[in-house]
Amino acid sequence: MTVSAEKFTRQRLLEVWRWSPSLFSLRCTRDPGFRFVAGQFARLGVRKPSGCIVWRAYSMVSAPHDEFLEFFSIEVPDGEFTSQLRQLAVGDELLVERQPYGFLTLERFADGRDLWLLASGTGVAPFLSILQDPAVWQRFQRIVLAYSVRSAAELAYQPLIADLAGRDWLEGVADKLVYLPVVTRESVPGCLQERLTALLDSGELERAAGIALDPEHSRLMLCGNPAMVEELHERLKRRGMQLSLSRRPGQLALENYW
């Protein structure tokens, strides 16, 4: 992908840290003119030793009001992009396109009472941005975040999720959030263990949340592994839920994300 110089800005890494051997996050400076809606993604560019630039899309973990940009990544073995990204250190350059993208935002839904955020792996990134936006807490009566990973070591951003309840601007509404961590290949206290599709099929997802899924009140965002997203999508369609489009309001919004 070729991007002309006037379409991106040069930012500097402020912090890089690892959650597990394959998962890491990075934080960079933010151009004052870069504006985005919680749930959107940016195209990031890194320079290879040859001098050419490789571009990939990453959802913002940071909130729209933060002065920095934060991203969550999985290291792909021999990946053209992540093999370069993982080598970056504080002070190094990261290119960010000026235009944000994506429609996994609250604007997709015309109404609704309960918001379900169903994520696998790094697909939790846009939901973390959404949860740091005051708009979601004002708009929905209940919010369910179900975050599925294979092992306990892959449960990233637990401090951020736990910290939400203590933020001053959430006083009196923080109890709207029901957090359901899911670890599929280990038995971890306080975590569900089946895949999200199995939890939906058995009814355990709704029992754990204490909320029933129904087309009238439920609005769902799905983000993660494409197979997981498609399987959940098919199951929810059979329960009377459809994609929310500009010409036809619905109950579902989804995005594939590795």
Side-chain angles (χ1 to χ4, degrees), residues 117-121 145-152 154-155 158 179-186 188 190-199 204-205 208:
L117 307 172
L118 307 184
S120 67
L145 171 64
Y147 174 21
S148 177
V149 296
R150 294 170 299 180
S151 66
E154 296 177 333
L155 275 175
Q158 299 308 287
Y179 174 46
L180 303 177
V182 181
V183 179
T184 59
R185 297 186 184 178
E186 296 175 0
V188 180
C191 297
L192 300 172
Q193 192 171 0
E194 302 279 354
R195 296 174 67 239
L196 288 174
T197 48
L199 293 170
E204 183 59 26
L205 187 66

Side-chain angles (χ1 to χ4, degrees), residues 75-115:
E75 186 175 326
V76 179
D78 301 318
E80 184 181 26
F81 186 84
T82 58
S83 62
Q84 301 299 319
L85 189 67
R86 69 180 175 82
Q87 297 179 42
L88 297 182
V90 172
D92 285 345
E93 180 183 77
L94 183 68
L95 307 180
V96 181
E97 272 199 35
R98 295 181 185 275
Q99 175 66 45
Y101 302 90
F103 301 97
L104 193 70
T105 66
L106 297 183
E107 296 171 356
R108 292 293 296 271
F109 302 125
D111 54 14
R113 184 189 66 194
D114 307 324
L115 178 65

Side-chain angles (χ1 to χ4, degrees), residues 61-63 65-66 128-134 160 164 167 169:
V61 172
S62 45
H65 57 262
D66 285 331
L128 295 174
S129 181
I130 287 171
L131 288 172
Q132 295 178 85
D133 185 352
L160 186 154
L164 286 170
R167 299 197 179 189
W169 52 271

